[in-house]
Amino acid sequence: MNSLFDRLEALFEQGHRADIPDLLTDERFADAGRTADAAVLIAVTDRPSPGLILTQRPHDMRDHPGQVAFPGGKIDPGETAIEAALREAEEELSMRPGDVRVIGTTDQYQTGTGFDVTPVLGVVPPDLPLVANPGEVEAWFEAPLDLLLDRANWTEHEVFWRGATRRYLEYHYDGFRIWGVTAAIIANLARRIEYKALFDG
């Protein structure tokens, strides 16, 4: 059997060969006067039942307070999205860049708060000794990858926001509410990766 990295890399490359025109985005809600490039790390744990490393942001942060998020943040001048995602993961969780086997970048997501987010997919060893930086992370957890990639596990909601109806996905896991930008990035990734093929492999 091929390693998780090999299977995930093959499915990732296969899934990005075709254009998908209807991926989720909040582009129509974005404030054109406030934009910034950002990157997040989609860290998949290399175990028989892989998981995703997710964080909960402190409740006093200006952007997306208290929300579940991927490790990540703004891209500094001169950085690539991959470099920024790895740097942020180290700053937030003490996840060493050398522990991340990067597969590649996936579809950019534009948030309603003005961030153009590039997700970076990578594989990490299981049970890393992660330590949350309290200034940036209130808590972190690992959620099963197969549950998150299966759209049937998500519920869709609507809210009236900034003069229009906004649809968003939501999933509750172990007391954490996963929704908004994080849920949309996961849903878009699920369009690129055939999760049943990943777990059957």
Side-chain angles (χ1 to χ4, degrees):
M1 178 184 295
N2 292 335
S3 70
L4 173 65
F5 178 89
D6 292 337
R7 301 197 315 271
L8 193 55
E9 182 181 46
L11 291 171
F12 182 86
E13 291 178 355
Q14 178 180 335
H16 283 79
R17 290 174 186 161
D19 181 52
I20 300 178
D22 58 343
L23 292 169
L24 299 178
T25 180
D26 277 334
E27 181 179 2
R28 66 189 179 121
F29 296 105
D31 181 359
R34 177 176 178 245
T35 60
D37 292 326
V40 297
L41 179 65
I42 305 176
V44 178
T45 55
D46 191 356
R47 59 172 88 246
S49 296
L52 279 186
I53 301 295
L54 295 168
T55 68
Q56 183 177 40
R57 297 166 64 84
H59 285 79
D60 58 356
M61 296 194 84
R62 185 178 76 166
D63 294 306
H64 310 292
Q67 289 192 18
V68 168
F70 293 107
K74 291 182 181 179
I75 299 176
D76 287 342
E79 275 187 324
T80 66
I82 291 174
E83 291 168 341
L86 295 179
R87 173 182 54 76
E88 288 284 348
E90 184 171 30
E91 291 176 2
E92 294 181 12
L93 294 174
S94 298
M95 182 184 292
R96 297 177 304 181
D99 285 329
V100 184
R101 296 184 67 190
V102 174
I103 291 176
T105 60
T106 186
D107 302 284
Q108 192 175 69
Y109 187 90
Q110 188 166 19
T111 74
T113 50
F115 289 93
D116 293 329
V117 182
T118 300
V120 178
L121 181 65
V123 175
V124 300
D127 306 315
L128 288 173
L130 303 179
V131 179
N133 177 344
E136 300 189 61
V137 175
E138 188 166 301
W140 70 270
F141 63 100
E142 181 179 339
L145 182 63
D146 59 343
L147 293 181
L148 297 183
L149 292 183
D150 186 352
R151 181 63 179 265
N153 292 324
W154 296 83
T155 56
E156 186 171 331
H157 301 275
E158 292 184 355
V159 64
F160 193 73
W161 189 52
R162 295 186 179 177
T165 298
R166 181 191 182 217
R167 292 180 174 85
Y168 66 91
L169 299 174
E170 182 179 64
Y171 180 69
H172 290 262
Y173 176 76
D174 200 24
F176 293 96
R177 180 191 183 209
I178 308 169
W179 70 292
V181 173
T182 303
I185 288 175
I186 293 171
N188 285 346
L189 181 65
R191 299 283 302 277
R192 297 294 188 183
I193 295 175
E194 178 49 58
Y195 82 96
K196 291 182 179 179
L198 176 64
F199 294 102
D200 290 344

